[in-house]
Amino acid sequence: MFLANMGHELRTPLNAILGCAELLREEATAAGLGQLLPDIQTVDRSGRHLVAVIEDILDLARLEAGVPQLRREPVALAPLAEEMEAAVRPQLRNRPLRWRLALEPGLGDITTDATKLRQILLNLLSNAIKFTARGEIELAVRVAHEGDREFIAFRVADTGIGIAADKLSLLFRDFSQVHDARHSYGGTGLGLAISRRFARLLGGDILVDSELGHGSRFTLLLPRGPQGMS
Ligand code: ADP
């Protein structure tokens, strides 16, 4: 109840602020007051950042309060991957980053909580883009087997700043950011902690390997069927 109320109390005025920023942008453009646009954009960007932080903190608090209700629905994998590509395309614009989508033919469906799956993938992809100045971002989806169980492996690979071997174990802790705080990349340090919790609730996990200065590979492994979901 507290979480639902707080979420509402925080989001309602923020949405009003974002709505007004959008109106101001239109009015400033129509009135030929282009010099105001950078300030309006700052209001918009900061507001959106705050929405993302609030969503993360609420997600974490919901997870601490108990296991969330998970949905079990079939999701077609190739269209999902293409949807992810469309979602991150704006973040790639005007950056020296190539995008690659590598889909094993005949991937079929996965039965899982589609919203949680999308949230995990978007988090991994946004991190890959955030921590990569140039080079390539790849989303590869393939089928993997462990014993007689079938998994889907979603691998997000980047050619970015990478992560030192002795920091890898810290990545999934709440609020942990493993790069020098003086170089601000933004973020809350909650994305991976939440993503791994979700992945485990869905019966899977997130694995990482990385090389400092060369790039990182995060792999989300999820069972194809709903067995193993909490
Ligand atoms: P946030 O990105 O909001 O700080 P995350 O939990 O998503 O939080 O990530 C935690 C930290 O892990 C990041 O601050 C960064 O130091 C490191 N990290 C995550 N993804 C990558 C990546 N693709 N390349 C390099 N470092 C990463």
Side-chain angles (χ1 to χ4, degrees), residues 123 127-128 130-131 158 161-163 171 176-179 186-193 216 218:
N123 179 241
N127 276 350
K130 183 161 69 170
F131 295 105
D158 66 59
I161 59 175
I163 301 151
L171 285 181
S176 83
Q177 297 187 307
V178 302
H179 292 98
T188 55
L190 280 175
L192 285 175
S216 310
F218 286 83

Coordinates of all heavy atoms in Angstrom, one line a residue, residues 123 127-128 130-131 158 161-163 171 176-179 186-193 216 218, ligand 1:
N123 N 17.5 -3.1 -20.0 CA 18.5 -2.7 -19.1 C 19.9 -3.1 -19.6 O 20.9 -2.3 -19.6 CB 18.2 -3.3 -17.7 CG 19.3 -3.0 -16.7 OD1 20.0 -3.8 -16.2 ND2 19.5 -1.7 -16.5
N127 N 22.7 -0.4 -20.9 CA 24.1 -0.4 -20.3 C 25.1 -0.5 -21.3 O 26.1 0.2 -21.3 CB 24.3 -1.5 -19.3 CG 23.7 -1.2 -17.9 OD1 23.4 -0.1 -17.6 ND2 23.6 -2.2 -17.0
A128 N 24.9 -1.5 -22.3 CA 25.9 -1.7 -23.3 C 26.2 -0.4 -24.1 O 27.3 0.0 -24.4 CB 25.5 -2.8 -24.3
K130 N 25.5 2.7 -23.0 CA 26.0 3.8 -22.1 C 27.5 3.6 -22.0 O 28.2 4.6 -21.9 CB 25.3 3.6 -20.8 CG 25.6 4.7 -19.8 CD 24.6 4.9 -18.7 CE 24.6 3.7 -17.7 NZ 23.7 3.9 -16.6
F131 N 28.0 2.4 -21.9 CA 29.4 2.2 -21.5 C 30.3 1.9 -22.8 O 31.4 1.4 -22.6 CB 29.5 1.1 -20.5 CG 28.9 1.5 -19.2 CD1 27.7 0.9 -18.7 CD2 29.5 2.4 -18.3 CE1 27.1 1.3 -17.5 CE2 29.0 2.8 -17.1 CZ 27.8 2.2 -16.7
D158 N 29.2 -5.8 -26.1 CA 29.6 -4.5 -26.5 C 31.1 -4.4 -26.6 O 31.8 -5.3 -26.1 CB 29.1 -3.4 -25.5 CG 29.7 -3.5 -24.1 OD1 30.9 -3.4 -24.0 OD2 28.9 -3.7 -23.1
I161 N 33.9 0.0 -22.4 CA 35.0 0.2 -21.4 C 35.4 -1.1 -20.6 O 36.4 -1.2 -20.0 CB 34.7 1.3 -20.4 CG1 33.5 1.1 -19.6 CG2 34.7 2.7 -21.1 CD1 33.2 2.1 -18.5
G162 N 34.4 -2.1 -20.6 CA 34.7 -3.3 -19.9 C 34.7 -3.2 -18.4 O 34.6 -2.1 -17.9
I163 N 34.9 -4.3 -17.7 CA 34.8 -4.3 -16.3 C 36.0 -5.2 -15.8 O 36.3 -6.3 -16.3 CB 33.5 -5.0 -15.8 CG1 32.3 -4.2 -16.4 CG2 33.4 -5.0 -14.3 CD1 31.1 -5.0 -16.6
L171 N 28.9 -6.4 -9.4 CA 28.0 -5.8 -10.4 C 26.5 -5.9 -10.0 O 25.7 -5.0 -10.2 CB 28.1 -6.5 -11.7 CG 29.3 -6.2 -12.6 CD1 29.2 -6.9 -13.9 CD2 29.4 -4.7 -12.8
S176 N 25.3 -0.7 -6.7 CA 26.8 -0.7 -6.9 C 27.1 -0.3 -8.4 O 26.4 -0.7 -9.3 CB 27.4 -2.1 -6.7 OG 27.2 -2.9 -7.8
Q177 N 28.0 0.7 -8.4 CA 28.5 1.2 -9.7 C 30.0 0.9 -9.7 O 30.7 1.4 -8.7 CB 28.2 2.6 -9.9 CG 26.7 2.9 -9.9 CD 26.3 4.3 -10.2 OE1 26.8 5.2 -9.6 NE2 25.5 4.4 -11.2
V178 N 30.6 0.2 -10.6 CA 31.9 -0.2 -10.5 C 33.0 0.7 -11.1 O 34.2 0.4 -11.0 CB 32.1 -1.7 -10.9 CG1 31.2 -2.6 -10.2 CG2 31.9 -1.8 -12.4
H179 N 32.5 1.7 -11.8 CA 33.5 2.6 -12.5 C 33.7 3.9 -11.6 O 32.9 4.2 -10.8 CB 33.0 2.9 -13.9 CG 33.1 1.7 -14.8 ND1 32.0 1.0 -15.1 CD2 34.2 1.1 -15.4 CE1 32.4 0.0 -15.8 NE2 33.7 0.0 -16.0
G186 N 25.9 8.4 -15.0 CA 24.5 8.4 -14.6 C 24.0 7.1 -14.1 O 24.8 6.1 -14.0
G187 N 22.8 6.9 -13.7 CA 22.3 5.6 -13.3 C 22.2 5.5 -11.8 O 22.7 6.4 -11.1
T188 N 21.7 4.4 -11.3 CA 21.4 4.2 -9.9 C 22.2 3.1 -9.3 O 22.3 2.9 -8.1 CB 20.0 3.9 -9.6 OG1 19.6 2.8 -10.4 CG2 19.1 5.1 -9.9
G189 N 22.8 2.2 -10.2 CA 23.4 1.0 -9.7 C 22.4 -0.1 -9.3 O 22.8 -1.0 -8.6
L190 N 21.2 0.1 -9.7 CA 20.1 -0.9 -9.4 C 19.7 -1.8 -10.5 O 19.2 -2.8 -10.3 CB 18.9 -0.1 -8.9 CG 18.9 0.4 -7.4 CD1 17.7 1.2 -7.1 CD2 19.1 -0.8 -6.5
G191 N 20.0 -1.3 -11.7 CA 19.5 -2.0 -12.9 C 19.9 -3.5 -12.9 O 19.0 -4.4 -13.1
L192 N 21.1 -3.8 -12.7 CA 21.6 -5.2 -12.8 C 21.1 -6.0 -11.6 O 20.8 -7.2 -11.8 CB 23.1 -5.3 -12.9 CG 23.7 -4.9 -14.3 CD1 25.2 -4.9 -14.2 CD2 23.2 -5.9 -15.4
A193 N 21.1 -5.4 -10.5 CA 20.6 -6.1 -9.3 C 19.1 -6.5 -9.5 O 18.7 -7.7 -9.2 CB 20.7 -5.2 -8.0
S216 N 32.2 -6.0 -22.9 CA 31.5 -6.9 -22.0 C 30.5 -7.8 -22.7 O 30.0 -7.3 -23.8 CB 30.8 -6.1 -20.9 OG 31.7 -5.2 -20.3
F218 N 27.0 -9.8 -21.5 CA 26.0 -10.2 -20.5 C 25.1 -11.2 -21.2 O 24.6 -10.9 -22.3 CB 25.2 -9.0 -20.0 CG 26.0 -8.1 -19.1 CD1 26.9 -7.1 -19.6 CD2 25.9 -8.2 -17.7 CE1 27.6 -6.3 -18.8 CE2 26.6 -7.4 -16.9 CZ 27.5 -6.4 -17.4
Ligands
ADP1 P1 23.6 1.7 -13.5 O1 23.9 1.4 -14.9 O2 22.2 2.3 -13.2 O3 24.7 2.3 -12.7 P2 23.5 -1.2 -13.2 O4 23.2 -2.1 -12.1 O5 22.8 -1.4 -14.5 O6 23.4 0.3 -12.7 O7 25.1 -1.4 -13.5 C1 26.0 -1.3 -12.4 C2 27.4 -1.0 -12.9 O8 27.9 -2.0 -13.7 C3 27.4 0.2 -13.8 O9 27.4 1.4 -13.0 C4 28.8 0.0 -14.5 O10 29.8 0.4 -13.6 C5 28.8 -1.5 -14.6 N1 28.3 -2.0 -16.0 C6 27.1 -2.4 -16.3 N2 27.0 -2.8 -17.6 C7 28.2 -2.5 -18.1 C8 28.7 -2.6 -19.5 N3 28.0 -3.1 -20.5 N4 30.0 -2.2 -19.6 C9 30.8 -1.8 -18.6 N5 30.3 -1.6 -17.3 C10 29.0 -2.0 -17.1

